[in-house]
Amino acid sequence: LLLVISCYHPLIGGAEKQAKVLAESLTSEGYEVSVLTKKRARDQKELEYINLVRVIRTNGVFGIFKKVFLLKNNYDILVFAGQLSNVKKSVFFSQLLFSFITKYVLRKKVILWPTSSSSMYENLLSFPLSALLINIFDLVLCKSKEQEGFFKKVVWNKGKVLAPPWSMIDTLEFSPPSKKEKVLLRQKLCIPKNKKVLVFVGRLFSGKGIDLIISAYKSVYKSNENTFLLVLGAVNESSYSDNEYYKKLTALGTSRCKVVVNCQRTSEYLKASDIFVFPSFSEGCSVSQIEAMSTGLICVGSDLPSIKEKIVDGYNGFIFKTGSLSDFILAIKKALSLKDSDNMRNKSREVVASM
């Protein structure tokens, strides 16, 4: 199996985490899996093995297409995890066209594993012939019910579209901590012992609502100084200090905010936290949200369909209107004022445990 993805470990995002889990799980079961991805930094090796998975890095979209062809004798199934460009319809079209060639010229099975929201794919598929070529995939592995509904509308053979449930996370690693474990983790990770910790996990870019997080936290902090913001941020830049959101977050000061870049110990930081905040503007299916819920955190998320699939407002978390700062602040304050937070935490965990 050849798994093609735009980014891969050690660059961390939801899709990258899931791809790593999938590749390593299949390898442990005896399958031969290779990952083909873009080379994002000069110091990254073009070929290495990560937990027995062969990782091949190359330059740009054309480099990926070239490698897929050159490696044709090394795989039977090609899996495209997401799209090689989120914004360029022409690049996505070329990806679909290359999938067509892989299937009918190289005689391989081709699978699409969508990683973005339905609205993103609706835009990408508006390019001429893309809506036609989407039908060449042998399977479309959706990450959410929202994706399933969309792809069943555009794919002629509905049986090719497979839906959840699958969590793709380790629920043992991401499990609720005991009170003693939480105290020890805060001490180990240099997180204030007695403050309410709001945590965000995700890429540091505009689509994740970082500006909303900063503005909301400033407002909340004015009325409740017993709060602390923890950000586990994934960045593509070779020099993360150049990231505009990294600069804005660190400007809050170490007494109010801690930023960890490309964190490799997400479960520990989540266990040391209280409330997970996620004001994203677009999501296919948030792995970070699932990890947070599995850890028993109270989640505050935007009202995107894929997020609402797992959070019922007031029952196992809080939902606010996407992009609304006032709604976001109100939802955070509701989470902070909960008297019976353990009940909501348990319900949050149960949703993921049942997946």
Side-chain angles (χ1 to χ4, degrees):
L1 183 143
L2 182 63
L3 178 62
V4 179
I5 187 167
S6 184
C7 299
Y8 192 70
H9 186 83
L11 297 174
I12 299 173
E16 291 77 23
K17 286 182 180 180
Q18 287 192 320
K20 187 171 183 289
V21 171
L22 177 63
E24 293 176 3
S25 298
L26 288 173
T27 298
S28 68
E29 293 180 15
Y31 294 91
E32 184 178 323
V33 181
S34 296
V35 174
L36 177 58
T37 187
K38 293 179 183 177
K39 187 176 181 181
R40 297 281 180 171
R42 290 182 180 180
D43 59 348
Q44 285 187 327
K45 297 178 180 178
E46 292 186 0
L47 175 63
E48 69 174 318
Y49 284 82
I50 300 176
N51 296 336
L52 302 179
V53 176
R54 182 171 66 159
V55 180
I56 305 161
R57 297 186 179 91
T58 189
N59 295 315
V61 175
F62 177 76
I64 284 183
F65 292 159
K66 182 179 178 180
K67 284 286 187 181
V68 169
F69 182 78
L70 293 175
L71 294 167
K72 62 182 181 295
N73 295 324
N74 296 92
Y75 65 92
D76 304 293
I77 302 171
L78 174 67
V79 179
F80 268 117
Q83 56 283 349
L84 299 177
S85 172
N86 281 332
V87 294
K88 294 182 179 179
K89 298 177 185 179
S90 58
V91 173
F92 187 60
F93 170 74
S94 65
Q95 181 178 336
L96 295 175
L97 185 60
F98 195 79
S99 299
F100 178 90
I101 295 170
T102 303
K103 179 173 182 176
Y104 292 106
V105 178
L106 301 183
R107 300 293 181 181
K108 309 293 183 181
K109 295 288 186 181
V110 289
I111 295 174
L112 177 64
W113 185 14
T115 57
S116 297
S117 66
S118 297
S119 59
M120 178 74 73
Y121 283 103
E122 186 174 11
N123 176 57
L124 292 172
L125 288 171
S126 65
F127 192 81
L129 293 181
S130 291
L132 178 65
L133 287 173
I134 196 72
N135 288 281
I136 63 99
F137 289 100
D138 293 283
L139 289 174
V140 178
L141 304 179
C142 299
K143 295 175 65 179
S144 67
K145 295 294 184 183
E146 179 207 21
Q147 282 186 350
E148 178 196 13
F150 171 75
F151 280 101
K152 281 192 172 179
K153 290 179 181 178
V154 297
V155 175
W156 299 333
N157 186 343
K158 314 302 181 190
K160 290 183 177 182
V161 180
L162 301 185
W166 42 60
S167 65
M168 295 298 292
I169 69 163
D170 186 342
T171 53
L172 294 178
E173 177 185 358
F174 293 92
S175 59
S178 65
K179 291 183 179 180
K180 181 179 179 180
E181 183 183 7
K182 189 171 186 176
V183 170
L184 292 175
L185 281 172
R186 287 197 175 189
Q187 183 178 0
K188 173 184 175 182
L189 302 172
C190 299
I191 296 173
K193 179 181 178 181
N194 297 315
K195 290 193 174 184
K196 287 286 187 179
V197 177
L198 311 179
V199 62
F200 165 82
V201 183
R203 294 190 185 281
L204 297 185
F205 84 111
S206 59
K208 294 296 184 182
I210 309 300
D211 282 325
L212 274 175
I213 292 175
I214 294 171
S215 297
Y217 177 68
K218 285 180 178 178
S219 176
V220 169
Y221 187 81
K222 286 181 180 179
S223 59
N224 188 347
E225 293 187 2
N226 191 41
T227 54
F228 186 79
L229 179 61
L230 173 63
V231 175
L232 309 184
V235 294
N236 289 335
E237 293 90 342
S238 56
S239 176
Y240 59 80
S241 58
D242 293 333
N243 183 285
E244 63 172 305
Y245 296 106
Y246 177 84
K247 293 177 181 178
K248 290 180 180 180
L249 288 162
T250 53
L252 292 172
T254 55
S255 63
R256 294 196 292 172
C257 178
K258 180 182 179 72
V259 183
V260 183
V261 174
N262 295 336
C263 177
Q264 304 294 325
R265 298 182 293 173
T266 303
S267 60
E268 290 188 352
Y269 280 100
L270 288 179
K271 289 179 180 182
S273 303
D274 300 294
I275 298 169
F276 177 76
V277 291
F278 202 60
S280 184
F281 288 97
S282 177
E283 282 297 329
C285 177
S286 169
V287 177
S288 298
Q289 175 193 346
I290 297 172
E291 290 173 343
M293 294 177 70
S294 182
T295 310
L297 297 189
I298 296 171
C299 294
V300 177
S302 48
D303 62 352
L304 298 174
S306 61
I307 292 178
K308 292 195 296 181
E309 283 180 19
K310 301 172 186 66
I311 297 179
V312 178
D313 186 51
Y315 175 76
N316 65 337
F318 295 99
I319 295 294
F320 68 94
K321 185 177 180 180
T322 301
S324 172
L325 177 59
S326 58
D327 278 7
F328 188 27
I329 293 170
L330 180 60
I332 292 174
K333 288 183 176 180
K334 285 180 181 179
L336 286 168
S337 63
L338 272 179
K339 294 182 179 180
D340 185 14
S341 61
D342 286 344
N343 182 44
M344 184 170 284
R345 294 178 194 279
N346 292 335
K347 290 175 180 175
S348 182
R349 164 73 179 181
E350 287 171 2
V351 171
V352 179
S354 66
M355 293 176 71

